[in-house]
Amino acid sequence: MKPDLDDIDHKILALLMDNARLPVTSIAKAVGIARTTVIARIAALEKRDVIAGYGLKLNQKLAQPAVRAYVGLSVEARYAPALIRYLQQLPETETLCAVSGAIDYMLTLRCPSTEILDKLLDQIGALDGVRQTSTSIILSKRIDRGAL
């Protein structure tokens, strides 16, 4: 069952996703409610498992290799399980999502260089059942709430 969240809950969550260490007083000021109300709302969000935990986000320049890319994949359905197994074993695979629309999967790759990315894309494109790939190299992150 999806929990009911109001606009204030959404604002609090957005602020915490940007910086989980943000002081309660800063959240209260940004949202326009009392500090004690923010404390109570965060406690309620934790109790209802809306907030499942808090984590650490490393500096992107230190944590990320030089090249990340989104790769759209169009795949013949009967070959999908083998493709997923192949991508699962690749250390460069960051995420693989089944999506709706013209492509079947959206893959995120992390590679230390464009040369390695290029070779990897050739290997993926040559796999049985891969009809088409479309790649976009990520230049920068403008918003990152990746803790979800």
Side-chain angles (χ1 to χ4, degrees), residues 134-146:
S134 174
T135 304
S136 295
I137 292 177
I138 300 169
L139 301 175
S140 67
K141 286 186 181 182
R142 302 298 169 99
I143 298 171
D144 183 7
R145 294 184 179 143

Side-chain angles (χ1 to χ4, degrees), residues 10-83:
H10 285 287
K11 288 177 185 177
I12 291 171
L13 291 170
L15 289 166
L16 289 173
M17 284 188 283
D18 287 338
N19 180 1
R21 294 183 56 158
L22 192 63
V24 172
T25 53
S26 297
I27 296 171
K29 186 175 182 180
V31 177
I33 59 175
R35 183 184 62 79
T36 54
T37 305
V38 171
I39 293 168
R41 282 185 174 254
I42 291 172
L45 291 167
E46 290 171 344
K47 184 177 181 180
R48 294 168 36 207
D49 286 329
V50 173
I51 297 175
Y54 299 89
L56 173 73
K57 188 188 302 186
L58 296 175
N59 181 318
Q60 292 298 313
K61 292 177 184 172
L62 298 174
Q64 297 295 334
V67 181
R68 292 179 69 235
Y70 294 123
V71 182
L73 300 167
S74 295
V75 180
E76 292 179 41
R78 65 183 173 163
Y79 291 102
L83 172 72

Side-chain angles (χ1 to χ4, degrees), residues 114-133:
T114 55
E115 292 80 17
I116 292 172
L117 175 63
D118 186 37
K119 289 177 186 175
L120 199 52
L121 292 171
D122 287 344
Q123 292 170 6
I124 293 168
L127 293 173
D128 288 337
V130 176
R131 290 190 301 249
Q132 182 179 1
T133 66

Side-chain angles (χ1 to χ4, degrees), residues 88-110:
Q88 178 72 37
Q89 59 86 30
L90 287 178
E92 295 86 0
T93 297
E94 188 173 80
T95 61
L96 178 67
C97 300
V99 297
S100 63
I103 61 172
D104 302 302
Y105 296 97
M106 183 57 73
L107 171 66
T108 308
L109 295 173
R110 273 186 324 218

